Amino acid sequence: MAEYTGTHHDGGAGDDVPDLSDSDNEEQWQWMEANDNIVQVTCLFCDKMSNSGPETLQHCLVEHQVDLVEVVKKHKLDDYGYIKMINYIRTEKCSGQSLSTLPECSIPWESDEYMRPALQDDPLLQIDLEELCEGKGILAGPSTGGQCEASRSSDALLQRAQAAEERAQRTEEALARAMDDLHKLKLLAQGLVLNADVGRGTGSLGAVAELREDEDEAYFSSYGHYSIHEEMLKDKVRTESYRDFMYLNPEVFKDKVVLDVGCGTGILSMFAARAGAKMVIGVDQSEIIYQAMDIVRSNQLQDRVTLIKGRIEEVKLPVEKVDIIISEWMGYFLLFESMLDSVLYARDLYLAEGGSVYPDRCTISLAAVGDTEKHQDRIAFWDDVYGFKMACMKRAVVPEAVVQVLKPDTLISQPAVIQGIDCNAVSLSELEFASDFCLKITDSTDCTAIVGYFDIFFDRDCGNKVMFSTGPQVTKTHWKQTVFLLENPIPVQAGEELHGRITVRKNKKDPRSLFITFDLHDMKQTYSLQ
Ligand code: SAH
């Protein structure tokens, strides 16, 4: 966020202030001091500078026939609405006429994007809306000129601005407290529902709720950092598959309304817009969305891509239904992170009859691994550590599934698909499942681990189908593979079938992580992925 605020003040009155990074600093400070008491305000519709906010509003009324008070009243704007309107007018260089003729129910400045000041320290943003609407704003009348009067009016304005600032701060604090309480209540309610089957005695629900809140905050704050997006964008297999699907199937996107669940930097939203969508709505709860707002604007796609900050489960979309939902929700072993839950929520609430979710199909596969060297390094190692037995440590090592890139020559069976997911039809409850599997062994050796990975398909109602795999046989992706080490290797013969059963369920205490249980060859082991 700190990085962000430094970059967005392009153009506007800020350009009139000398750049203090220049070498001529002393002269500039003198300029600043000499001009310290004069509040200079640029008109919303032309380059005229006035000495105060009210004078600017008066000028707008007389010269441009725009009565800002009327506009505020007509659209029933609150403080935030007023701020967004001012920033919108300045950013979009909206004309006075188009502002005055806007129909009552259509406000083009709803996006939170317009909370960002278009001008640094814009005095028009410090005007007291209540007073303005009571007539004390514009009716204060224009200055008749003269340095004394200008400075008196600027003193008075300064005092009012300070008072308004204090009021705003108090209101903001009260609002933050109320939001906090509301959020805690919601989490408590979630905790009650999710833990209903856990029974009593699992500890305080308040503590569960707080834990979950922290976890979710940590989840979204991790997506606020650029590095995770850099990693995803640089994963060409992933990003180019989404791009190719959209660019190669423009007929699917032409004139459609598209929802991008978890838009991150906005890359998929922009692909969709370029593929011909008439409107794309990108939603993301993490702070990366502020970068997406700049990115979309830098690519002149702001007319077609609308970005909304918030959880998809909580935001209000500007449309009732969408034709297409796109999302890159996949986690390790496909279901880690449980973000698919949010996509299904969006699908059930917003997808129009006959619409599609993309990617539309996924599979999860398993294969047997024979890598004795690795097994020794991770497991047998504990049998003799500098002459001491530490075998009990294996019980800590084995149950943690390992995310790593597997060497393809360590595969010792054909892969077996253990689950298929149709994203347009699957229900939330089906994301926890059990499945029998059979691995056809290709090498006579010891099976030391089972590897899991997923494949993604874009193939519903489109001419040019696209898919990608995260398996060990093909180009690696940032998802790598998920490896489940066996404590005791299983000797296998080429041609035999290794039968087992896998159970995948969410960790009730942390629904973003998974428990995966294997029943294999008289062994039962539960792995966690966190
Ligand atoms: N679409 C982007 C980012 C994918 S990463 C890309 O392909 O590069 C997933 C994004 O979804 C993250 O930025 C995360 O903050 C967001 N996200 C996850 N769950 C969400 C939810 N319930 N509501 C809104 N955003 C969500």
Side-chain angles (χ1 to χ4, degrees):
M1 197 61 192
E3 239 181 69
Y4 173 78
T5 46
T7 57
H8 70 259
H9 300 295
D10 305 338
D15 290 350
D16 296 326
V17 178
D19 178 0
L20 293 184
S21 63
D22 285 350
S23 56
D24 230 347
N25 270 355
E26 208 173 307
E27 214 174 281
Q28 288 150 9
W29 278 114
Q30 281 163 7
W31 184 94
M32 299 274 289
E33 276 168 21
N35 290 274
D36 215 17
N37 290 325
I38 302 172
V39 182
Q40 288 280 288
V41 196
T42 319
C43 169
L44 290 168
F45 308 107
C46 69
D47 291 335
K48 167 103 168 64
M49 306 285 280
S50 306
N51 288 332
S52 70
E55 198 181 316
T56 310
L57 298 184
Q58 181 73 20
H59 162 83
C60 291
L61 183 62
V62 175
E63 295 298 325
H64 304 286
Q65 289 76 50
V66 181
D67 185 341
L68 266 295
V69 176
E70 274 314 305
V71 179
V72 167
K73 286 183 180 166
K74 178 173 161 190
H75 297 291
K76 301 187 183 62
L77 300 183
D78 58 8
D79 287 341
Y80 292 117
Y82 168 77
I83 290 171
K84 287 191 203 172
M85 174 185 74
I86 297 292
N87 291 329
Y88 168 80
I89 299 171
R90 292 212 191 274
T91 314
E92 307 298 340
K93 313 241 178 310
C94 150
S95 74
Q97 204 201 359
S98 67
L99 186 75
S100 303
T101 53
L102 270 178
E104 222 170 282
C105 50
S106 105
I107 300 180
W109 54 81
E110 254 171 6
S111 163
D112 283 348
E113 191 179 346
Y114 297 113
M115 282 305 290
R116 290 181 289 148
L119 283 191
Q120 205 166 3
D121 303 326
D122 187 347
L124 283 185
L125 298 184
Q126 291 161 20
I127 280 183
D128 185 322
L129 192 60
E130 232 172 85
E131 288 188 2
L132 182 71
C133 292
E134 281 165 10
K136 294 180 200 156
I138 293 189
L139 296 182
S143 159
T144 49
Q147 194 67 25
C148 278
E149 194 168 330
S151 113
R152 260 202 312 280
S153 98
S154 87
D155 278 354
L157 193 66
L158 200 65
Q159 277 174 4
R160 276 174 38 208
Q162 274 164 354
E165 203 174 319
E166 278 166 25
R167 265 204 311 280
Q169 199 174 343
R170 279 198 301 276
T171 317
E172 238 171 61
E173 281 164 11
L175 184 67
R177 278 196 300 276
M179 296 282 283
D180 200 39
D181 288 349
L182 202 64
H183 195 45
K184 281 195 178 125
L185 270 176
K186 200 180 289 167
L187 288 165
L188 192 64
Q190 275 174 6
L192 278 167
V193 174
L194 288 165
N195 289 279
D197 57 338
V198 178
R200 285 155 208 261
T202 48
S204 122
L205 283 174
V208 170
E210 262 168 36
L211 192 70
R212 193 147 306 148
E213 181 180 24
D214 288 351
E215 274 160 6
D216 243 27
E217 260 171 37
Y219 172 74
F220 286 116
S221 94
S222 74
Y223 276 114
H225 196 261
Y226 76 88
S227 56
I228 195 163
H229 295 278
E230 181 174 350
E231 185 186 29
M232 289 189 289
L233 293 170
K234 284 183 175 166
D235 181 341
K236 285 190 169 193
V237 172
R238 176 201 92 112
T239 312
E240 288 183 354
S241 297
Y242 276 87
R243 182 199 63 187
D244 291 351
F245 162 63
M246 291 191 242
Y247 286 3
L248 294 176
N249 294 287
E251 72 288 351
V252 173
F253 288 86
K254 190 168 174 340
D255 296 333
K256 294 288 167 47
V257 177
V258 177
L259 172 63
D260 178 359
V261 178
C263 61
T265 53
I267 184 73
L268 306 186
S269 294
M270 294 189 292
F271 285 154
R274 287 249 164 100
K278 76 167 172 214
M279 178 183 196
V280 186
I281 304 158
V283 178
D284 205 299
Q285 161 71 343
S286 103
E287 305 235 320
I288 196 70
I289 193 143
Y290 295 122
Q291 306 282 6
M293 288 170 183
D294 273 359
I295 292 169
V296 162
R297 188 172 296 279
S298 306
N299 291 283
Q300 277 97 48
L301 287 169
Q302 66 272 23
D303 293 341
R304 265 186 300 154
V305 178
T306 302
L307 297 173
I308 303 174
K309 180 172 188 303
R311 292 170 61 106
I312 189 70
E313 293 84 353
E314 291 166 2
V315 294
K316 187 174 171 331
L317 295 193
V319 293
E320 270 191 18
K321 293 286 170 194
V322 301
D323 304 304
I324 293 175
I325 292 178
I326 48 168
S327 182
E328 197 281 77
W329 51 266
M330 295 82 78
Y332 298 131
F333 198 62
L334 190 67
L335 297 175
F336 180 66
E337 276 186 48
S338 291
M339 194 185 148
L340 181 54
D341 297 16
S342 299
V343 176
L344 300 190
Y345 174 91
R347 180 198 68 187
D348 296 345
L349 195 60
Y350 295 117
L351 195 64
E353 194 71 30
S356 297
V357 176
Y358 292 109
D360 53 284
R361 198 164 61 83
C362 336
T363 56
I364 303 178
S365 298
L366 298 178
V369 179
D371 189 346
T372 307
E373 204 180 310
K374 187 100 195 171
H375 192 271
Q376 294 217 320
D377 176 51
R378 299 291 325 279
I379 307 294
F381 164 78
W382 300 104
D383 287 329
D384 178 359
V385 182
Y386 301 96
F388 297 99
K389 292 178 189 156
M390 293 196 185
C392 62
M393 294 289 279
K394 294 181 192 174
R395 284 205 295 275
V397 176
V398 171
E400 280 190 16
V402 186
V403 173
Q404 66 177 80
V405 176
L406 198 90
K407 289 196 216 110
D409 61 3
T410 61
L411 288 177
I412 57 160
S413 81
Q414 290 173 7
V417 172
I418 53 136
Q419 181 73 339
I421 294 179
D422 174 350
C423 300
N424 286 279
V426 74
S427 66
L428 203 58
S429 60
E430 289 170 297
L431 302 183
E432 293 183 277
F433 59 89
S435 165
D436 291 325
F437 62 86
C438 162
L439 300 175
K440 293 203 171 74
I441 300 294
T442 50
D443 287 51
S444 301
T445 179
D446 279 349
C447 172
T448 57
I450 302 290
V451 61
Y453 62 88
F454 59 90
D455 296 339
I456 295 295
F457 302 84
F458 301 84
D459 55 9
R460 180 176 152 108
D461 298 336
C462 64
N464 292 303
K465 302 183 190 311
V466 173
M467 70 83 58
F468 69 93
S469 173
T470 66
Q473 306 272 31
V474 288
T475 312
K476 69 174 183 205
T477 69
H478 78 286
W479 287 287
K480 305 176 185 170
Q481 286 90 39
T482 305
V483 177
F484 306 95
L485 281 170
L486 303 181
E487 182 168 355
N488 300 308
I490 304 170
V492 289
Q493 294 296 321
E496 85 167 81
E497 290 182 342
L498 193 57
H499 290 271
R501 184 173 174 80
I502 180 172
T503 310
V504 176
R505 61 196 158 87
K506 291 175 186 164
N507 177 350
K508 293 249 172 348
K509 296 209 179 113
D510 169 16
R512 290 200 185 273
S513 73
L514 293 179
F515 283 133
I516 296 155
T517 303
F518 282 93
D519 284 280
L520 187 66
H521 213 259
D522 302 332
M523 166 289 272
K524 184 173 181 135
Q525 176 70 55
T526 294
Y527 298 83
S528 69
L529 192 51
Q530 34 202 321

